[in-house]
Amino acid sequence: MKYFISLVLLCFSIALFSQQPYHPKYIVPQTIEIDSLYQTEDINLFYLKPVQYIGNFQKEISLEYNDSDRYSKILENNYRTKNHNELNKEFMTRKYENIIIFVDISQKTPLKRTELDTLKISFEEYDAKLDSLNSGMQIVHPIPFLSTYYEGFPVTIYNSGNKENIIGFGNTVALELEALDKENKWQKIYPYRYYSCGTGIKFFVLKPDEIATVFEPRLSGDFHTRFRYRLGNIISNEFEGNINYNYITHSQTQ
């Protein structure tokens, strides 16, 4: 009887947890083979942290990877430009009270990396085609690109408060990755990512009761440890993974 009650309570807790507003199920196109995704050791391969979804909680959210680097149409209602000095002060402070960050490594989400197919075109030919396009000319053959899909997981940010909060700019969330080193101390692997040129870049907010989702790469490497993401003063749940230890030792010397 005790076993039965424990089992019922466990099932109930799982069901309740799955309904939390920061725990949606993300559905990707069936054309992408989730079990055939690549992994990368490079923490800079996906430099920016573009928003994949922003809006009200849904139990299931269908998405494709969004790699727009400076602007996103889905953020149109969340961009802010008025009172720039106040916005900048709020962002630089990044002190939150009602933000929850949830990392779900149980789900696999694809990250798309599109690069010039150098087996079909040289960089010189590519530059020539760009010059033609910039001059208003048409090109006979399209520029060949090669797309590769990498394995990732969703990181969901939830605003449980009653005021909107700035969480990023352009189309990148100001997330920072931290990991435990061999001495069991937290080390910042990288700070929030920023643009080399900020002209025209706008802050964007997470409105009350909204969630925002980014996909993060599942890293490979020689060191197994625990990770967490940080947004200002808010940290996510911890999760396990791998990374090359030289990234951690490099962070300690910065």
Side-chain angles (χ1 to χ4, degrees):
M1 185 66 180
K2 289 183 179 180
Y3 174 79
F4 176 75
I5 294 175
S6 298
L7 182 61
V8 170
L9 290 175
L10 176 61
C11 293
F12 176 76
S13 63
I14 292 174
L16 182 63
F17 177 70
S18 65
Q19 302 304 312
Q20 294 297 319
Y22 45 83
H23 192 261
K25 179 180 180 181
Y26 296 97
I27 301 172
V28 300
Q30 295 182 352
T31 54
I32 300 175
E33 297 183 11
I34 291 296
D35 293 331
S36 300
L37 299 174
Y38 290 92
Q39 287 190 337
T40 180
E41 300 177 354
D42 186 359
I43 64 172
N44 295 309
L45 188 63
F46 295 95
Y47 184 80
L48 299 177
K49 309 297 175 187
V51 177
Q52 305 302 320
Y53 174 82
I54 194 165
N56 295 328
F57 168 75
Q58 302 176 43
K59 294 180 181 178
E60 295 185 348
I61 301 176
S62 297
L63 295 174
E64 292 191 43
Y65 182 65
N66 172 16
D67 59 357
S68 57
D69 58 355
R70 297 175 68 88
Y71 163 83
S72 176
K73 187 175 178 61
I74 67 173
L75 290 171
E76 279 187 347
N77 294 324
N78 295 72
Y79 283 122
R80 297 291 180 267
T81 56
K82 293 182 179 180
N83 302 319
H84 178 78
N85 290 338
E86 290 298 318
L87 292 173
N88 188 61
K89 181 180 179 181
E90 179 184 343
F91 175 76
M92 295 307 295
T93 303
R94 295 197 306 287
K95 296 293 184 182
Y96 305 106
E97 295 181 357
N98 298 290
I99 293 292
I100 298 171
I101 309 172
F102 181 70
V103 181
D104 186 2
I105 62 171
S106 70
Q107 297 191 57
K108 287 185 179 181
T109 53
L111 294 93
K112 184 179 180 181
R113 175 79 174 181
T114 302
E115 300 174 292
L116 187 68
D117 191 345
T118 55
L119 295 178
K120 296 180 179 179
I121 188 174
S122 67
F123 287 109
E124 291 77 13
E125 293 172 315
Y126 172 67
D127 290 337
K129 285 181 179 290
L130 283 185
D131 289 339
S132 297
L133 290 173
N134 291 333
S135 300
M137 300 172 60
Q138 293 184 346
I139 56 177
V140 178
H141 301 290
I143 299 173
F145 289 98
L146 183 65
S147 293
T148 306
Y149 288 91
Y150 290 84
E151 182 180 341
F153 50 81
V155 178
T156 303
I157 305 166
Y158 171 54
N159 183 355
S160 64
N162 56 13
K163 59 167 288 192
E164 60 185 34
N165 290 280
I166 296 174
I167 61 170
F169 47 89
N171 188 22
T172 186
V173 178
L175 285 174
E176 301 176 295
L177 179 64
E178 299 178 344
L180 284 176
D181 63 15
K182 292 180 179 179
E183 283 70 45
N184 212 36
K185 296 180 180 179
W186 286 105
Q187 303 292 341
K188 184 178 294 184
I189 305 303
Y190 56 70
Y192 69 86
R193 307 306 181 86
Y194 55 87
Y195 298 89
S196 57
C197 175
T199 303
I201 297 295
K202 302 176 183 177
F203 290 117
F204 60 84
V205 300
L206 189 61
K207 299 176 183 178
D209 213 31
E210 278 191 338
I211 63 172
T213 303
V214 300
F215 292 167
E216 287 289 80
R218 196 183 304 267
L219 298 172
S220 59
D222 55 21
F223 182 62
H224 188 78
T225 187
R226 298 187 69 80
F227 297 90
R228 66 188 186 187
Y229 284 98
R230 176 182 294 276
L231 181 63
N233 62 314
I234 303 298
I235 58 175
S236 72
N237 55 301
E238 298 177 15
F239 60 99
E240 294 187 9
N242 284 63
I243 191 173
N244 281 341
Y245 197 72
N246 64 287
Y247 284 123
I248 296 180
T249 55
H250 176 70
S251 69
Q252 293 172 340
T253 59
Q254 290 181 326

